[in-house]
Amino acid sequence: MNHLQKADAATIDALRNKGYKATPQRIAVCRYALTNQEHPTAQKTYLEVKKHHPTISLATVYKTLQILRELNLVQELNLPNSKTRFDPNMKPHINLICQKCGAIQDLHHETVGEFVQKVTETANFAPSGQRLDIYGVCQK
Amino acid sequence: MNHLQKADAATIDALRNKGYKATPQRIAVCRYALTNQEHPTAQKTYLEVKKHHPTISLATVYKTLQILRELNLVQELNLPNSKTRFDPNMKPHINLICQKCGAIQDLHHETVGEFVQKVTETANFAPSGQRLDIYGVCQK
DNA sequence: TTTGCTGCAAAGGCTTTGCACGGAT
DNA sequence: ATCCGTGCAAAGCCTTTGCAGCAAA
């Protein structure tokens, strides 16, 4: 079993565990959304999946992305003045958002967890998740 | 000149500096949006301003909020599964977002700037702003 | 057979835009 | 007299929903 098949198998399990059927359309959307690192929009996901699955509808893409959110496999990135994008990286990380080219780069840094804990403990706030975006200009 | 009048005077200056007229409607929207700490939505802003300004329209509120963004006096907080809210706090800070009651509390912490600088310097990324949201449950 | 999914079209919700009237300079 | 802003209504855009036909278990 190769890499892709393993990932698909994990997707199928995740869907079935929650009572969802693992249809070809859903597997295709999941494959794209969970492996693409460019934080695609729903529309982009639709267009890409459509290449291999010409009959798929935008509605199905939206529904599947909603399932992925429910399964905690992707998170929505709502951004000002631009479209919502989807991020399959569910570990605590920082999004470096380039205001020139629109790219979003994930940045893992060992101090993120520690930072979140430090700033919340004095505020009497129980953290359960975070979203850390830094705007600026990337190397390009 | 009292506190409120000072704030209004600053608003009027800011508007005129960019060539906008300081109309009563704009001043009213600015007064509410720049002083309210609860990160109101556009709709909430409209309803509140309407109390003292019954003829104002939602369109005018949206237009004024857009001007405030352009003047860098408020920022939009786009949140998943809820309406866009507006934050007059333009200093680097953390938003503590309560998933129970929906409240958003600003948290200033002296390590924010240092944290942003530390994580970006290794990534060859020139930061110009940030948005740090921590989700969880507040004391209530 | 029963249940759930797809894909189309329509509806929804928030935000923006067009435009005529009115106010200010 | 000119310019800009307001407020209404309409349009736009992204996303969700309803539903008939279809596929899978």
Side-chain angles (χ1 to χ4, degrees), chain A residues 30-126:
Chain A
C30 293
R31 185 184 295 163
Y32 181 75
L34 295 177
T35 61
N36 187 287
Q37 299 301 309
E38 293 170 10
H39 309 76
T41 61
Q43 182 72 25
K44 179 79 191 307
T45 303
Y46 167 63
L47 292 174
E48 287 299 318
V49 172
K50 205 179 167 74
K51 289 180 182 171
H52 298 282
H53 235 282
T55 67
I56 200 169
S57 70
L58 189 52
T60 296
V61 172
Y62 271 109
K63 285 169 188 165
T64 306
L65 288 171
Q66 215 166 14
I67 291 171
L68 285 175
R69 272 189 282 160
E70 185 192 333
L71 301 182
N72 281 310
L73 294 176
V74 302
Q75 61 180 315
E76 265 189 16
L77 301 183
N78 303 89
L79 304 167
N81 307 321
S82 65
K83 296 177 188 172
T84 296
R85 296 166 71 160
F86 292 88
D87 189 350
N89 183 354
M90 297 301 285
K91 288 173 290 197
H93 69 279
I94 297 155
N95 298 304
L96 299 179
I97 304 175
C98 180
Q99 293 173 312
K100 280 268 200 306
C101 71
I104 301 178
Q105 179 192 347
D106 283 359
L107 176 64
H108 288 273
H109 200 279
E110 68 274 8
T111 60
V112 171
E114 162 195 335
F115 173 75
V116 170
Q117 199 193 338
K118 186 167 61 182
V119 300
T120 53
E121 68 190 6
T122 59
N124 197 19
F125 188 89

